[in-house]
Amino acid sequence: MDLHAEALLFDNDGTLVSSMESVERCWSRWAREYGITGEALSRVELHGRPAADDVTCGKPDPEPFLLAAARLGADPARCVVFEDAPAGLAAGRAAGMRTVALTTTHTAAELDADVVVRDLSAVSVQVSEGGLVVPTDGPS
């Protein structure tokens, strides 16, 4: 199955880059400064979720991806979302877009997508007269 698209939309953290080491280092330093034990710190989700000024609802709401498609002048049904997280994949599906999951931060079993790949090295894109083509060997 090939995915055909007008636009490819990429999540940043966990898909294009990973900030987890930096996040863990900063939170660990903060915990030491405030006397919080490593055990207590390990019981909470540490990754920051910066709010974008351009959207009122974050993922899993489809607004971020719908806004991206609108700014690119692309039909959401002709967009492919590349994501590493369940909420981002849910946002892409809710926006009516095809989804490619990367197992960079979650296991394949945790990711509901049209196609699941290890990372972006497993993806290629071809330009055709009809737009962009993402060849895949995944399920439809």
Side-chain angles (χ1 to χ4, degrees):
M1 168 189 72
D2 291 342
L3 302 179
H4 298 269
E6 291 177 31
L8 306 177
L9 306 178
F10 294 86
D11 174 54
N12 190 24
D13 199 21
T15 301
L16 295 177
V17 298
S18 177
S19 66
M20 289 309 296
E21 285 184 33
S22 176
V23 169
E24 289 173 15
R25 184 176 57 251
C26 291
W27 279 111
S28 295
R29 184 180 315 142
W30 176 86
R32 280 192 307 275
E33 289 177 14
Y34 289 93
I36 298 171
T37 66
E39 180 183 341
L41 188 62
S42 69
R43 290 192 299 254
V44 295
E45 175 62 44
L46 297 179
H47 200 282
R49 297 180 186 270
D53 293 338
D54 294 337
V55 297
T56 56
C57 297
K59 302 169 193 172
D61 191 274
E63 183 185 359
F65 289 127
L66 291 172
L67 178 61
R71 287 188 173 173
L72 292 170
D75 176 357
R78 300 252 314 133
C79 292
V80 176
V81 169
F82 292 81
E83 260 287 353
D84 67 308
L89 292 164
R93 284 191 311 278
M97 301 174 180
R98 303 299 298 268
T99 55
V100 176
L102 287 76
T103 59
T104 54
T105 60
H106 291 80
T107 65
E110 297 173 286
L111 303 171
D112 182 15
D114 295 299
V115 177
V116 178
V117 297
R118 180 176 37 88
D119 58 32
L120 287 175
S121 69
V123 177
S124 66
V125 177
Q126 301 167 353
V127 178
S128 71
E129 288 184 26
L132 304 169
V133 179
V134 181
T136 70
D137 292 327
S140 57

